[in-house]
Amino acid sequence: MSPFPALPRFYQTIFMYLEPLSTMIPALLVWTVPGSSWFHQELIPAGQSAPSATPLDPRTKMAIWQLANCYLLLGLISSFTFRAIKEALPHNPQAQERIVSAILAALAVADVTHIVATVIGLPSHLRFSVVQWNSMVHGNVTAVIALLGARLAWFMGIGRTRYNLSRKVV
């Protein structure tokens, strides 16, 4: 096993395994069972009187499938890129940290915009009523906040050694 000092085991577990799985599994659920109608219906909690999943019009179905493809892509890029860094640069922690930092920065920006888009997209009576959220909303807000927290902890150097303390700003 090649060393990966820029991404210690705790962060490897989150960013190389858990996060990719958390994006790839929903993509597979959209394409198989329970399907795109289920996914579409779960985006906004409907309470106890939730209508059953009805067939989607072709445009909506295509948009949901394309979103699922983006989820899959995100998981694959994270998983493959971190592994490539680990294998290609095993004895260069400065280069590892520089590349990991760029990836995590982009993901952190996406985390914030994803959380904001999800919360704004919720009906006003549900935005801050966390107890009424379903697993889909918690996945899109609560879980993403946790991932953002892990990224921020990495940037703060919590649980790891920093290798690029003297970065040059160009």
Side-chain angles (χ1 to χ4, degrees):
M1 187 163 167
S2 60
F4 199 3
L7 207 60
R9 181 140 333 264
F10 171 75
Y11 294 109
Q12 281 184 48
T13 301
I14 293 171
F15 300 130
M16 286 175 59
Y17 301 103
L18 297 178
E19 183 174 27
L21 283 173
S22 76
T23 59
M24 289 188 280
I25 289 172
L28 297 174
L29 292 174
V30 165
W31 292 329
T32 59
V33 174
S36 54
S37 293
W38 164 82
F39 184 89
H40 183 261
Q41 198 62 39
E42 289 295 306
L43 287 171
I44 307 285
Q48 295 189 26
S49 62
S52 61
T54 57
L56 301 174
D57 68 86
R59 285 180 183 85
T60 303
K61 191 172 193 173
M62 181 188 291
I64 298 290
W65 285 355
Q66 290 171 342
L67 176 62
N69 191 59
C70 291
Y71 280 14
L72 180 66
L73 176 64
L74 178 63
L76 292 172
I77 287 174
S78 291
S79 182
F80 291 171
T81 305
F82 289 130
R83 282 175 176 76
I85 295 165
K86 179 180 178 181
E87 293 169 11
L89 302 166
H91 304 294
N92 191 341
Q94 291 84 8
Q96 285 182 2
E97 183 170 289
R98 188 131 188 193
I99 298 167
V100 168
S101 176
I103 294 166
L104 293 181
L107 290 170
V109 170
D111 289 342
V112 171
T113 57
H114 187 80
I115 293 163
V116 169
T118 302
V119 171
I120 287 173
L122 287 171
S124 59
H125 72 281
L126 291 174
R127 282 193 189 126
F128 303 104
S129 183
V130 179
V131 296
Q132 291 185 327
W133 291 359
N134 61 13
S135 60
M136 183 78 73
V137 178
H138 278 294
N140 283 308
V141 177
T142 312
V144 177
I145 289 171
L147 289 168
L148 177 60
R151 291 186 228 294
L152 295 175
W154 184 90
F155 279 111
M156 291 186 290
I158 297 171
R160 72 179 191 89
T161 302
R162 290 180 165 184
Y163 295 97
N164 285 322
L165 294 177
S166 61
R167 283 195 187 153
K168 295 179 184 177
V169 178
V170 179

